[in-house]
Amino acid sequence: ENMNIDEIKRVEKIIELQNMKLSEFANEIGIKSSTLTHILNGRNNVSLEVARKIVKRFPNISFDWLILGNGSMFRKESNFQEPTLFDTPEIKSSKPDVSRKEERPKNTRQFSPIQEKSTSHNNDLEKDLKLINEIHSKLQTPPREITKIIVYFDDNTFKEFGN
């Protein structure tokens, strides 16, 4: 029973830090508002699935802290910063440059991306960057051409130009 109260407080702390309404937070992590309400009023425990969704959406929240209350709320940072989908990374060599850490603007609604200490993860950097570039290029909209323009006049008539 007491562990449940601590879990609730930890979830509330994340929501508070994100400065979101309960419905916004539920939507952001991909659960129903009622599910979140049941957790916060103590009816339901934080399920493994809900905890995964929170950590997936807010990757610098420590899973151990969220579930067990162990350690710091935030994951430990290393010098390696994984790119997000919206970055446009440049592939210069197979080794990431860990000597400099890029500064990112602070956003009150979003945590920074996952940061790993693992060197085996860094070995896949080039493959990850290629995949990100591929996804990014598919998200770009193709060039479009205007095919028709409609002009409306104040006497409720209109004229069409084009096909």
Side-chain angles (χ1 to χ4, degrees), residues 7-56:
E7 271 184 3
I8 292 167
K9 285 182 179 171
R10 290 192 294 270
V11 172
E12 284 174 339
K13 192 170 182 180
I14 296 168
I15 296 168
E16 189 182 315
L17 197 66
Q18 292 309 306
N19 195 23
M20 291 181 176
K21 294 177 187 157
L22 295 184
S23 58
E24 286 179 305
F25 184 80
N27 187 45
E28 199 66 28
I29 65 170
I31 64 172
K32 292 179 184 172
S33 293
S34 59
T35 304
L36 183 59
T37 304
H38 292 324
I39 290 168
L40 295 176
N41 68 22
R43 180 175 161 188
N44 295 353
N45 289 331
V46 177
S47 68
L48 182 59
E49 182 187 1
V50 170
R52 278 186 182 140
K53 287 181 177 196
I54 291 171
V55 173
K56 186 172 184 183

Side-chain angles (χ1 to χ4, degrees), residues 74-87:
F74 301 106
R75 292 167 54 133
K76 299 286 181 266
E77 294 186 4
S78 71
N79 283 339
F80 174 71
Q81 187 144 20
E82 185 170 298
T84 67
L85 178 65
F86 304 104
D87 290 340

Side-chain angles (χ1 to χ4, degrees), residues 2 4 21 30 44 58 64 85 95 103 128 132 141 159:
N2 195 22
N4 193 19
K21 294 177 187 157
N44 295 353
F58 303 109
D64 277 358
L85 178 65
K95 282 190 194 173
E103 289 296 314
D128 292 346
I132 289 167
T141 55
K159 175 135 176 82

Side-chain angles (χ1 to χ4, degrees), residues 56-113:
K56 186 172 184 183
R57 174 57 188 87
F58 303 109
N60 70 343
I61 293 291
S62 162
F63 196 78
D64 277 358
W65 174 82
L66 176 60
I67 296 300
L68 305 171
N70 293 344
S72 165
M73 178 179 185
F74 301 106
R75 292 167 54 133
K76 299 286 181 266
E77 294 186 4
S78 71
N79 283 339
F80 174 71
Q81 187 144 20
E82 185 170 298
T84 67
L85 178 65
F86 304 104
D87 290 340
T88 49
E90 296 173 352
I91 301 170
K92 291 180 181 163
S93 74
S94 60
K95 282 190 194 173
D97 177 13
V98 292
S99 61
R100 75 176 204 287
K101 183 173 179 177
E102 291 181 14
E103 289 296 314
R104 293 178 180 272
K106 296 278 183 246
N107 182 334
T108 57
R109 292 194 141 201
Q110 207 170 6
F111 285 105
S112 61

